[in-house]
Amino acid sequence: MTLDLTTELAAARVLAVIRGTDTAAAVATGTALLKEGVRIVEVALTTPGALHAIEAIRAAAPAEALVGAGTVLTAADVADVLSAGAQFVVTPAVVESVPEAVRRGIPVAAGALTPTEAYTARQLGASAVKLFPASLGGPAYLKALRDPFPDIPFVAVGGVGLAEMPAYLAAGAIAVGVGGPLVGDAASGGDLDALRHRARAYLAAATRPPAS
């Protein structure tokens, strides 16, 4: 059965972005997040040993969880992350990996900032559009983008802290992608207990209805 990434993101509302400097710490981070109930995680390819981390996290993940790859730029990257077991890919921009992922049948959340980029990403077959960096324009910019593109599923990523999350959801984001504010230094060997605490806070925020 084909993975419906948009539906999964809209249900989870939180995409954890793991970007660190240590392979084992990245694996421990992903495993801890999944145990806390985070359902969707991505490992950025800029993390050392990212492919191994994806494989290890996927092996430990519960059946309902999704493990993907981020910072996927090239066709070769798509092939690599598929071999590692990634279930979806995320890009920082509209790059060659977007049509390649679509061709291979793996869902992709394509990075975009401008209206033209967002439209192009969808035309290429992206399941969702990653508004990045979301903090550049904030929730008001997301709302402005959604006015002409109400059918584009946007995921707000980049500078989305716990305090900002409700505003992005209220502005129409189907989910938020969170790296540093959630992961902190855990993926570089930092405190996993603090990570678990932050994960619980994000999950609690995700279960609250958006402000009307």
Side-chain angles (χ1 to χ4, degrees), residues 21-97:
T21 60
D22 181 83
T23 308
V27 172
T29 295
T31 303
L33 287 168
L34 293 172
K35 284 184 178 178
E36 285 299 327
V38 174
R39 289 175 47 192
I40 309 180
V41 301
E42 75 169 79
V43 178
L45 291 187
T46 52
T47 301
L51 297 176
H52 170 74
I54 291 167
E55 188 174 2
I57 296 168
R58 178 81 195 277
E64 69 275 9
L66 297 176
V67 181
T71 323
V72 178
L73 300 176
T74 67
D77 287 341
V78 175
D80 288 343
V81 301
L82 270 174
S83 296
Q87 293 164 285
F88 64 93
V89 302
V90 182
T91 78
V94 181
V95 288
E96 69 175 63
S97 56

Side-chain angles (χ1 to χ4, degrees), residues 39-212:
R39 289 175 47 192
I40 309 180
V41 301
E42 75 169 79
V43 178
L45 291 187
T46 52
T47 301
L51 297 176
H52 170 74
I54 291 167
E55 188 174 2
I57 296 168
R58 178 81 195 277
E64 69 275 9
L66 297 176
V67 181
T71 323
V72 178
L73 300 176
T74 67
D77 287 341
V78 175
D80 288 343
V81 301
L82 270 174
S83 296
Q87 293 164 285
F88 64 93
V89 302
V90 182
T91 78
V94 181
V95 288
E96 69 175 63
S97 56
V98 177
E100 178 65 12
V102 173
R103 185 184 74 80
R104 287 175 172 267
I106 183 170
V108 54
L113 179 63
T114 68
T116 299
E117 291 168 350
Y119 181 78
T120 301
R122 284 289 276 177
Q123 289 298 106
L124 289 173
S127 299
V129 171
K130 165 186 163 180
L131 180 61
F132 177 79
S135 59
L136 192 63
Y141 179 67
L142 170 60
K143 183 179 183 306
L145 271 181
R146 291 192 68 250
D147 286 343
F149 300 124
D151 296 328
I152 293 181
F154 284 100
V155 180
V157 183
V160 182
L162 187 61
E164 293 79 29
M165 178 178 169
Y168 282 105
L169 295 174
I174 63 167
V176 298
V178 193
L182 169 58
V183 174
D185 63 354
S188 298
D191 189 345
L192 290 177
D193 285 336
L195 170 72
R196 295 183 185 98
H197 178 78
R198 291 190 297 270
R200 288 191 288 270
Y202 270 94
L203 289 172
T207 59
R208 299 187 198 111
S212 57

